[in-house]
Amino acid sequence: MKLELFSEIYNSLSRNKTRTVLTGFSIAWGIFIMIILLSVGNGLLHGVTSDFSEQSKNQVSLHANWTSMPYKGTAAGRRIVMNRMDSLYLIGSISAISSVVTVHEVGYMTMDYGHNSLQTNVNAVTPDYFDVEKITLKRGRSLSVLDVAEKRKVALLAEDDAVVLFKNEDCINKKITINQNMFFTVIGTYEKSRHAWQTTTYIPLTTAKTAFNIGDDLGKVICTVQGLNDLESNAALTKRLRADMSRRHEYDSADYWAVMIHNNTENYLQTQTLFGTLNMFLWIIGFSTLIAGIVGVGNIMLITVKERTKEFGIRKALGATPASIIKLIITEALCIT
C-alpha cells in the first residue's frame, strides 16, 4: 500500500517537474536563509562574549587623563592626577566597591637586550592586579608578593616584546635594560590582550618607587564591584563616580575624557541586551522567509487539488475515503518539503 502511495506521488511530481523543483527550492532557500541569519547572530554574540571573557565582568576602571573642557577659569588640557587618597575614598565611600587595585604608570620607556631595542609602556603594580586583570601566561611566572616585599628588579613582558628582544632565545632569567640604566630580570611573558593597542611591561610597585621615584601618582584605579546586576544600578554607579571624581579634581562632570570610566558590567549587560534584540530580529526574518516558502507549498498544493478534482471524484466513487485522499496530498507536500 505504501509503495503504491509513493508511486502515485512520484508520477504526480514527474508530470510537473518545474513546479516541483521551484517549490522545493523555495523551502530550501527559506531554511538556508534562517541558518545563515542565526549563524551570523550567534557568531557575533560569541565573538563579543569571548572578548569579555578576557576581563572581569564585575570591574570598573578609572583612568586619569587630560581635561577636554575648560572649567572655572582653567583651560582645557589640564592633566588630572589621581593618588592614593582617591583609592581610599572609593573603597570607603561607595558600598558597592569591594576592593581597589591601583596601577602606577611609570611611563613609555626603552627596553634593550644586546643589540635589540624597543619602546613599551611600563606599569608598576602589586600581585593583586593580576587577580582582577586576567592575563594568560606564556612562559615563566607572574609577579609575586616576595618580589614586592624585597623590591626585586624583575619584569613581566608581553610575549610580542620578548620575541623582538630575544628572537629565538629563552628569555626567562635574562637581564634587560629599562630606560638605558636599570637592569631587570625577566621572570615571565604573557599574551597581549586583543583589546590592547600597545604592549605593557609590569614591574613591582616598590621597585618602581625606588628606581624611578614615581611617588603616589596613579594612572589607573581598578575597582571590583559586588551586587550590581542590572543596567540601572551600574549606570547609577558610573554617574556617581563621574560626579565624585569631577568634584575631587575640579573639572566639569560632563568631561568624560578627564577621568575615563569603564564599567565592564554595564558594557556587558548593554551588549547582551543589544544582541538579544538582534537575535530576536534575525529569528523573525528567518522564520518569515521560511513561512513564505511554506505558503508557496500550500499554494502549489491548492493548484494540484484543483487540477485533480475529477480524479479525486472518481476515486471517491470507487470507494476511496476522504482520509486517504488527504493523506495522498499531505504526503506529496511533505515529499516536496
mmCIF file of all heavy atoms in Angstrom, residues 216-245:
data_model
loop_
_atom_site.group_PDB
_atom_site.id
_atom_site.type_symbol
_atom_site.label_atom_id
_atom_site.label_comp_id
_atom_site.label_asym_id
_atom_site.label_seq_id
_atom_site.Cartn_x
_atom_site.Cartn_y
_atom_site.Cartn_z
ATOM 1 N N ASP A 216 53.267 58.839 44.558
ATOM 2 C CA ASP A 216 51.963 58.225 44.784
ATOM 3 C C ASP A 216 50.976 58.465 43.647
ATOM 4 O O ASP A 216 49.797 58.125 43.760
ATOM 5 C CB ASP A 216 51.353 58.767 46.088
ATOM 6 C CG ASP A 216 52.104 58.278 47.317
ATOM 7 O OD1 ASP A 216 52.628 57.150 47.268
ATOM 8 O OD2 ASP A 216 52.188 59.031 48.309
ATOM 9 N N ASP A 217 51.422 59.075 42.560
ATOM 10 C CA ASP A 217 50.515 59.353 41.444
ATOM 11 C C ASP A 217 50.034 58.045 40.818
ATOM 12 O O ASP A 217 50.831 57.130 40.567
ATOM 13 C CB ASP A 217 51.221 60.195 40.381
ATOM 14 C CG ASP A 217 51.537 61.593 40.884
ATOM 15 O OD1 ASP A 217 51.050 61.935 41.979
ATOM 16 O OD2 ASP A 217 52.274 62.318 40.197
ATOM 17 N N LEU A 218 48.726 57.988 40.568
ATOM 18 C CA LEU A 218 48.120 56.799 39.976
ATOM 19 C C LEU A 218 47.671 57.102 38.552
ATOM 20 O O LEU A 218 47.083 58.144 38.285
ATOM 21 C CB LEU A 218 46.899 56.352 40.790
ATOM 22 C CG LEU A 218 47.144 55.990 42.256
ATOM 23 C CD1 LEU A 218 45.819 55.675 42.935
ATOM 24 C CD2 LEU A 218 48.085 54.807 42.361
ATOM 25 N N GLY A 219 47.962 56.182 37.656
ATOM 26 C CA GLY A 219 47.459 56.333 36.301
ATOM 27 C C GLY A 219 46.109 55.675 36.133
ATOM 28 O O GLY A 219 45.288 56.076 35.308
ATOM 29 N N LYS A 220 45.864 54.622 36.957
ATOM 30 C CA LYS A 220 44.637 53.845 36.786
ATOM 31 C C LYS A 220 44.227 53.237 38.121
ATOM 32 O O LYS A 220 45.072 52.798 38.903
ATOM 33 C CB LYS A 220 44.878 52.740 35.746
ATOM 34 C CG LYS A 220 43.654 51.952 35.340
ATOM 35 C CD LYS A 220 44.041 50.968 34.248
ATOM 36 C CE LYS A 220 42.850 50.170 33.748
ATOM 37 N NZ LYS A 220 43.231 49.179 32.705
ATOM 38 N N VAL A 221 42.938 53.213 38.378
ATOM 39 C CA VAL A 221 42.382 52.573 39.564
ATOM 40 C C VAL A 221 41.339 51.562 39.090
ATOM 41 O O VAL A 221 40.448 51.903 38.305
ATOM 42 C CB VAL A 221 41.735 53.589 40.519
ATOM 43 C CG1 VAL A 221 41.068 52.883 41.692
ATOM 44 C CG2 VAL A 221 42.769 54.581 41.023
ATOM 45 N N ILE A 222 41.460 50.319 39.548
ATOM 46 C CA ILE A 222 40.527 49.263 39.153
ATOM 47 C C ILE A 222 39.722 48.843 40.368
ATOM 48 O O ILE A 222 40.289 48.442 41.392
ATOM 49 C CB ILE A 222 41.273 48.050 38.569
ATOM 50 C CG1 ILE A 222 42.130 48.480 37.382
ATOM 51 C CG2 ILE A 222 40.288 46.970 38.146
ATOM 52 C CD1 ILE A 222 43.051 47.400 36.867
ATOM 53 N N CYS A 223 38.406 48.938 40.284
ATOM 54 C CA CYS A 223 37.512 48.611 41.403
ATOM 55 C C CYS A 223 36.751 47.323 41.095
ATOM 56 O O CYS A 223 36.260 47.138 39.982
ATOM 57 C CB CYS A 223 36.503 49.731 41.638
ATOM 58 S SG CYS A 223 37.248 51.368 41.850
ATOM 59 N N THR A 224 36.672 46.458 42.084
ATOM 60 C CA THR A 224 35.824 45.269 41.985
ATOM 61 C C THR A 224 34.475 45.596 42.607
ATOM 62 O O THR A 224 34.406 46.075 43.742
ATOM 63 C CB THR A 224 36.456 44.072 42.723
ATOM 64 O OG1 THR A 224 37.748 43.823 42.172
ATOM 65 C CG2 THR A 224 35.602 42.826 42.556
ATOM 66 N N VAL A 225 33.412 45.337 41.858
ATOM 67 C CA VAL A 225 32.064 45.740 42.279
ATOM 68 C C VAL A 225 31.235 44.498 42.588
ATOM 69 O O VAL A 225 31.325 43.488 41.880
ATOM 70 C CB VAL A 225 31.385 46.567 41.164
ATOM 71 C CG1 VAL A 225 29.994 46.997 41.585
ATOM 72 C CG2 VAL A 225 32.236 47.787 40.825
ATOM 73 N N GLN A 226 30.430 44.579 43.634
ATOM 74 C CA GLN A 226 29.562 43.472 44.025
ATOM 75 C C GLN A 226 28.110 43.941 44.124
ATOM 76 O O GLN A 226 27.839 45.069 44.532
ATOM 77 C CB GLN A 226 30.000 42.910 45.386
ATOM 78 C CG GLN A 226 31.422 42.372 45.428
ATOM 79 C CD GLN A 226 31.627 41.149 44.559
ATOM 80 O OE1 GLN A 226 30.674 40.473 44.193
ATOM 81 N NE2 GLN A 226 32.882 40.866 44.216
ATOM 82 N N GLY A 227 27.184 43.051 43.756
ATOM 83 C CA GLY A 227 25.757 43.300 43.976
ATOM 84 C C GLY A 227 25.065 44.155 42.931
ATOM 85 O O GLY A 227 23.887 44.476 43.096
ATOM 86 N N LEU A 228 25.761 44.527 41.862
ATOM 87 C CA LEU A 228 25.121 45.325 40.806
ATOM 88 C C LEU A 228 24.946 44.444 39.572
ATOM 89 O O LEU A 228 25.896 44.180 38.840
ATOM 90 C CB LEU A 228 25.976 46.556 40.473
ATOM 91 C CG LEU A 228 26.301 47.501 41.636
ATOM 92 C CD1 LEU A 228 27.100 48.690 41.137
ATOM 93 C CD2 LEU A 228 25.027 47.966 42.332
ATOM 94 N N ASN A 229 23.700 43.996 39.341
ATOM 95 C CA ASN A 229 23.455 43.030 38.274
ATOM 96 C C ASN A 229 22.516 43.533 37.187
ATOM 97 O O ASN A 229 22.093 42.755 36.338
ATOM 98 C CB ASN A 229 22.882 41.733 38.873
ATOM 99 C CG ASN A 229 23.817 41.110 39.891
ATOM 100 O OD1 ASN A 229 25.010 40.982 39.647
ATOM 101 N ND2 ASN A 229 23.268 40.711 41.033
ATOM 102 N N ASP A 230 22.178 44.807 37.209
ATOM 103 C CA ASP A 230 21.292 45.341 36.176
ATOM 104 C C ASP A 230 21.859 46.655 35.651
ATOM 105 O O ASP A 230 22.735 47.272 36.269
ATOM 106 C CB ASP A 230 19.873 45.550 36.716
ATOM 107 C CG ASP A 230 19.859 46.441 37.958
ATOM 108 O OD1 ASP A 230 19.985 47.666 37.797
ATOM 109 O OD2 ASP A 230 19.756 45.902 39.076
ATOM 110 N N LEU A 231 21.343 47.062 34.508
ATOM 111 C CA LEU A 231 21.853 48.257 33.833
ATOM 112 C C LEU A 231 21.622 49.515 34.663
ATOM 113 O O LEU A 231 22.485 50.395 34.709
ATOM 114 C CB LEU A 231 21.174 48.407 32.468
ATOM 115 C CG LEU A 231 21.793 47.643 31.297
ATOM 116 C CD1 LEU A 231 20.905 47.730 30.071
ATOM 117 C CD2 LEU A 231 23.188 48.185 30.991
ATOM 118 N N GLU A 232 20.476 49.605 35.321
ATOM 119 C CA GLU A 232 20.142 50.830 36.055
ATOM 120 C C GLU A 232 21.135 51.095 37.190
ATOM 121 O O GLU A 232 21.640 52.217 37.352
ATOM 122 C CB GLU A 232 18.709 50.749 36.618
ATOM 123 C CG GLU A 232 17.616 50.799 35.565
ATOM 124 C CD GLU A 232 17.476 49.503 34.783
ATOM 125 O OE1 GLU A 232 18.006 48.465 35.254
ATOM 126 O OE2 GLU A 232 16.861 49.513 33.699
ATOM 127 N N SER A 233 21.420 50.068 37.991
ATOM 128 C CA SER A 233 22.328 50.252 39.116
ATOM 129 C C SER A 233 23.754 50.518 38.662
ATOM 130 O O SER A 233 24.475 51.324 39.270
ATOM 131 C CB SER A 233 22.296 49.022 40.034
ATOM 132 O OG SER A 233 22.664 47.847 39.329
ATOM 133 N N ASN A 234 24.177 49.895 37.569
ATOM 134 C CA ASN A 234 25.517 50.137 37.050
ATOM 135 C C ASN A 234 25.640 51.525 36.444
ATOM 136 O O ASN A 234 26.669 52.191 36.594
ATOM 137 C CB ASN A 234 25.880 49.072 36.013
ATOM 138 C CG ASN A 234 26.360 47.783 36.648
ATOM 139 O OD1 ASN A 234 27.505 47.657 37.047
ATOM 140 N ND2 ASN A 234 25.463 46.822 36.755
ATOM 141 N N ALA A 235 24.581 51.970 35.760
ATOM 142 C CA ALA A 235 24.593 53.328 35.210
ATOM 143 C C ALA A 235 24.629 54.360 36.339
ATOM 144 O O ALA A 235 25.318 55.396 36.231
ATOM 145 C CB ALA A 235 23.360 53.541 34.338
ATOM 146 N N ALA A 236 23.918 54.079 37.425
ATOM 147 C CA ALA A 236 23.927 54.991 38.573
ATOM 148 C C ALA A 236 25.305 55.057 39.212
ATOM 149 O O ALA A 236 25.764 56.129 39.622
ATOM 150 C CB ALA A 236 22.892 54.534 39.594
ATOM 151 N N LEU A 237 26.000 53.900 39.277
ATOM 152 C CA LEU A 237 27.357 53.884 39.834
ATOM 153 C C LEU A 237 28.309 54.698 38.971
ATOM 154 O O LEU A 237 29.101 55.505 39.481
ATOM 155 C CB LEU A 237 27.858 52.440 39.949
ATOM 156 C CG LEU A 237 29.327 52.284 40.368
ATOM 157 C CD1 LEU A 237 29.551 52.836 41.767
ATOM 158 C CD2 LEU A 237 29.760 50.827 40.277
ATOM 159 N N THR A 238 28.235 54.508 37.656
ATOM 160 C CA THR A 238 29.099 55.261 36.740
ATOM 161 C C THR A 238 28.849 56.759 36.871
ATOM 162 O O THR A 238 29.791 57.563 36.904
ATOM 163 C CB THR A 238 28.852 54.810 35.288
ATOM 164 O OG1 THR A 238 29.090 53.407 35.178
ATOM 165 C CG2 THR A 238 29.776 55.545 34.327
ATOM 166 N N LYS A 239 27.568 57.142 36.965
ATOM 167 C CA LYS A 239 27.216 58.561 37.113
ATOM 168 C C LYS A 239 27.771 59.134 38.417
ATOM 169 O O LYS A 239 28.320 60.246 38.440
ATOM 170 C CB LYS A 239 25.695 58.707 37.074
ATOM 171 C CG LYS A 239 25.220 60.150 37.124
ATOM 172 C CD LYS A 239 23.695 60.221 37.017
ATOM 173 C CE LYS A 239 23.220 61.677 37.071
ATOM 174 N NZ LYS A 239 21.731 61.751 36.956
ATOM 175 N N ARG A 240 27.681 58.361 39.497
ATOM 176 C CA ARG A 240 28.199 58.846 40.779
ATOM 177 C C ARG A 240 29.723 58.982 40.737
ATOM 178 O O ARG A 240 30.277 59.949 41.272
ATOM 179 C CB ARG A 240 27.792 57.894 41.902
ATOM 180 C CG ARG A 240 28.362 58.366 43.240
ATOM 181 C CD ARG A 240 27.975 57.523 44.404
ATOM 182 N NE ARG A 240 28.674 57.984 45.602
ATOM 183 C CZ ARG A 240 28.545 57.421 46.792
ATOM 184 N NH1 ARG A 240 27.738 56.386 46.960
ATOM 185 N NH2 ARG A 240 29.227 57.896 47.818
ATOM 186 N N LEU A 241 30.400 58.010 40.138
ATOM 187 C CA LEU A 241 31.857 58.082 40.049
ATOM 188 C C LEU A 241 32.293 59.323 39.273
ATOM 189 O O LEU A 241 33.252 60.000 39.665
ATOM 190 C CB LEU A 241 32.407 56.820 39.386
ATOM 191 C CG LEU A 241 32.376 55.539 40.223
ATOM 192 C CD1 LEU A 241 32.782 54.335 39.378
ATOM 193 C CD2 LEU A 241 33.289 55.664 41.434
ATOM 194 N N ARG A 242 31.595 59.638 38.190
ATOM 195 C CA ARG A 242 31.932 60.830 37.413
ATOM 196 C C ARG A 242 31.741 62.093 38.244
ATOM 197 O O ARG A 242 32.579 63.005 38.219
ATOM 198 C CB ARG A 242 31.070 60.891 36.151
ATOM 199 C CG ARG A 242 31.473 59.896 35.085
ATOM 200 C CD ARG A 242 30.998 60.319 33.706
ATOM 201 N NE ARG A 242 31.545 59.415 32.700
ATOM 202 C CZ ARG A 242 30.866 58.420 32.120
ATOM 203 N NH1 ARG A 242 29.602 58.219 32.471
ATOM 204 N NH2 ARG A 242 31.430 57.655 31.225
ATOM 205 N N ALA A 243 30.645 62.142 38.987
ATOM 206 C CA ALA A 243 30.367 63.320 39.819
ATOM 207 C C ALA A 243 31.398 63.448 40.935
ATOM 208 O O ALA A 243 31.916 64.542 41.196
ATOM 209 C CB ALA A 243 28.958 63.218 40.395
ATOM 210 N N ASP A 244 31.713 62.329 41.595
ATOM 211 C CA ASP A 244 32.664 62.373 42.710
ATOM 212 C C ASP A 244 34.064 62.758 42.254
ATOM 213 O O ASP A 244 34.735 63.588 42.893
ATOM 214 C CB ASP A 244 32.706 61.018 43.423
ATOM 215 C CG ASP A 244 31.436 60.742 44.212
ATOM 216 O OD1 ASP A 244 30.578 61.646 44.272
ATOM 217 O OD2 ASP A 244 31.304 59.632 44.758
ATOM 218 N N MET A 245 34.523 62.154 41.143
ATOM 219 C CA MET A 245 35.883 62.434 40.675
ATOM 220 C C MET A 245 35.990 63.870 40.145
ATOM 221 O O MET A 245 37.013 64.535 40.339
ATOM 222 C CB MET A 245 36.290 61.429 39.596
ATOM 223 C CG MET A 245 36.376 59.986 40.076
ATOM 224 S SD MET A 245 37.400 59.754 41.550
ATOM 225 C CE MET A 245 39.009 60.132 40.890
#
